[in-house]
Amino acid sequence: MVLEEGVGDVRCLVEPIDAERGRASFALPRLPEETGSAAERSRLALALGLDAAEIGFEPFVPACWSAGADYTFVPVRDLAAIRSCRIDLAHWSAIDRGVPAGAFVFCRETIDSANAFHARMFAPSFGIAEDPATGSAVAAFAGMLARCETPADGEHSFTIEQGYEMGRPSLIELSISMKRGALVSAAIAGEAVIVGEGTIEA
């Protein structure tokens, strides 16, 4: 099926797993773009209740990317740092940068060693204190990942774990395709369970 979204037509493949569960994959209608410079680490630390020294690891430094929705990506050194995050609205302008945005905080250390990254996403400007699974953020993360990890040409897959601190563990699969050192396509996927149902009557 094709979903008509503000960012373009999103091609979606849905596969049943059993009577209660299914899996869906979504091809990105446009490649992620860097949307400017992130705020200074000291300001990001204040917004997220962190120590500035906890921000950044390996080639990852704070950056702003979008694949249709704006996010400030904040790499932190380990699970202890990511678990200590507490949003501070008085300093949230470091994330919003003049327009509402979310903060996608991530680290390389994971709860399950089979996964590539652990993440949390905060977007109080949108009324979301924390989100258990954020496909639009992982879509934008494809750009940062391609830039920082410099994967070889070909297909690559990464699983991002999120929502564990909320008691709602979620896994988002990110697949990217590289050609001549550049990102040429990406898709996100994951399983789902029914959490609500409704009927629309004309």
Side-chain angles (χ1 to χ4, degrees), residues 180-193:
R180 296 179 182 174
L183 178 69
V184 293
S185 66
I188 58 172
E191 297 182 15
V193 295

Side-chain angles (χ1 to χ4, degrees), residues 11-131:
R11 298 191 175 279
C12 173
L13 175 65
V14 179
E15 302 171 281
I17 296 173
D18 54 34
E20 299 295 330
R21 298 179 303 138
R23 182 181 186 277
S25 61
F26 305 85
L28 272 60
R30 74 183 201 197
L31 293 177
E33 298 176 334
E34 197 164 10
T35 57
S37 301
E40 298 86 356
R41 295 187 194 204
S42 58
R43 293 184 61 209
L44 294 174
L46 289 171
L48 293 163
L50 295 168
D51 187 305
E54 296 176 304
I55 296 176
F57 66 87
E58 298 166 14
F60 290 96
V61 296
C64 299
W65 288 81
S66 172
D70 291 327
Y71 291 95
T72 294
F73 289 86
V74 184
V76 296
R77 64 187 182 191
D78 54 26
L79 283 173
I82 207 168
R83 286 169 175 157
S84 71
C85 286
R86 299 292 184 272
I87 61 176
D88 187 337
L89 296 179
H91 297 282
W92 202 251
S93 60
I95 303 297
D96 284 347
R97 300 181 305 134
V99 294
F104 191 79
V105 187
F106 66 96
C107 65
R108 180 89 70 182
E109 185 181 4
T110 57
I111 292 173
D112 185 337
S113 60
N115 301 327
F117 296 95
H118 184 92
R120 298 179 74 181
M121 200 291 288
F122 309 96
S125 299
F126 291 106
I128 303 171
E130 184 169 358
D131 188 33

